[in-house]
Amino acid sequence: MLTRKQHELLLFIHERMKEVGIPPSFDEMKDALDLASKSGIHRLITALEERGFIRRLPNRARALEVIRLPESIAPGLNSQKKFSPSVIEGSLGKPAAPAKAETAPINIAADNNETISVPVMGRIAAGVPISAIQNQTRTISLPMDMIGSGEHYALEVKGDSMIEAGIFEGDTVVIRRGNTANPGEIVVALVDDEEATLKRFRRKGASIALEAANPAYETRIFGPDRVQVQGKLVGLIRRY
C-alpha cells in the first residue's frame, strides 16, 4: 500500500522516463510534488525501493528504474500529468486510421457551425524575436469544443525542440492567452522582453526553467523577472 505522495512520485518518474528516456532529477521531483526540500524525496525514493516499485542502479547519476506499477494507478497512466494535444488532422483521400489514445484527432463534421475564428500570429521557436508573434498573418476557424473559453491565438511551429511532446515543425499550435502556468504545462514564454519560445514550464526553486521535449536541447533556467508567460498550449493542428 502506497501513500499519496509515493503514488505521485512513482507516476512522475514513470511519465518522465516515457517522455525523455531518463529519470527526473531530485530537484524536479521536489518541484513536481511541491515539497520544501530534497530530503522528503530521498525518503519517498527509499520507501518505493523497499516496496519493490523502483530500483536504484549503482555508479550512475540519476539512475532509477521503475520495476512495477500498482494496479490503482496503472490504468490511468496515459491520462495524467502529460499534455495530450487535440489534433485536427488533414486527409488527402486516405482511409482513416484508428486513433491513438494519446493524440486522438478531432473529426469536424461538414455541417458543424460551432466554430470560432483564431488569428495566426506568425512562427515560434527558440530564438525567434517577439515581433514574430505580434503580426497577424491570417485566421483559422476552429471548433469551440476544441479550445474552450477564453482568448486564443495560433502560432506556426519552427524547429524540433518539442518533438517528444508530439509537436513537430510545420504544426500550428493553439494558445489560450494567460500570464500564469502550472509546472509541466507547455507555454509560450517571453524571455527578456525580446525572445518568444514554446517550452514546458518548470520551477527550479525561485527560478523558472523552460524545458524542451527533445534531449538534444538543454533546459534553460532564468530568474523569475526574466520570463513572462504569454499563454498555454490547448490544441494542435497538423496538415498532411
Side-chain angles (χ1 to χ4, degrees):
M1 188 75 177
L2 297 179
T3 67
R4 181 175 61 85
K5 286 294 186 184
Q6 290 166 0
H7 269 257
E8 290 177 1
L9 181 59
L10 181 60
L11 181 61
F12 179 67
I13 295 170
H14 178 75
E15 287 295 334
R16 176 56 64 86
M17 293 184 70
K18 284 173 57 181
E19 289 178 4
V20 301
I22 60 173
S25 68
F26 274 57
D27 281 325
E28 290 170 329
M29 295 184 220
K30 176 176 69 69
D31 292 343
L33 271 66
D34 196 24
L35 296 180
S37 68
K38 289 188 285 188
S39 61
I41 295 296
H42 282 282
R43 288 193 294 270
L44 292 172
I45 290 288
T46 299
L48 289 172
E49 187 175 31
E50 290 174 348
R51 288 162 174 77
F53 289 97
I54 65 173
R55 176 168 55 207
R56 279 185 273 204
L57 305 178
N59 304 318
R60 290 173 56 189
R62 292 173 60 170
L64 294 175
E65 180 182 12
V66 177
I67 301 173
R68 65 188 181 95
L69 296 168
E71 293 182 0
S72 59
I73 66 172
L77 283 176
N78 291 329
S79 62
Q80 299 183 50
K81 291 187 179 292
K82 186 175 181 181
F83 171 73
S84 299
S86 299
V87 181
I88 300 176
E89 295 186 343
S91 60
L92 299 175
K94 61 184 180 182
K100 294 182 180 180
E102 294 186 6
T103 55
I106 297 175
N107 296 318
I108 306 176
D111 59 352
N112 181 9
N113 294 320
E114 297 295 321
T115 61
I116 186 170
S117 181
V118 174
V120 180
M121 304 299 289
R123 289 188 172 187
I124 187 166
V128 172
I130 185 60
S131 59
I133 66 168
Q134 288 183 325
N135 298 314
Q136 179 176 331
T137 60
R138 58 190 174 90
T139 61
I140 53 177
S141 295
L142 299 176
M144 293 186 66
D145 59 358
M146 170 187 174
I147 61 177
S149 60
E151 184 182 356
H152 299 80
Y153 60 94
L155 295 165
E156 297 171 352
V157 176
K158 181 177 181 178
D160 61 355
S161 66
M162 298 301 290
I163 57 174
E164 293 192 359
I167 304 169
F168 305 117
E169 180 161 14
D171 288 348
T172 299
V173 290
V174 182
I175 306 297
R176 179 180 295 125
R177 290 188 186 274
N179 57 13
T180 60
N182 297 315
E185 292 181 320
I186 296 175
V187 303
V188 172
L190 175 62
V191 180
D192 295 333
D193 289 324
E194 62 183 20
E195 176 190 331
T197 185
L198 183 73
K199 292 291 182 289
R200 198 179 298 277
F201 180 87
R202 302 285 186 191
R203 290 197 178 275
K204 297 280 188 180
S207 299
I208 291 174
L210 299 179
E211 178 184 271
N214 183 335
Y217 295 80
E218 293 184 354
T219 297
R220 303 170 67 193
I221 300 176
F222 303 93
D225 58 334
R226 296 182 59 192
V227 177
Q228 300 174 40
V229 173
Q230 304 280 289
K232 302 178 187 179
L233 179 62
V234 295
L236 180 71
I237 302 168
R238 180 166 299 149
R239 300 182 185 278
Y240 293 91

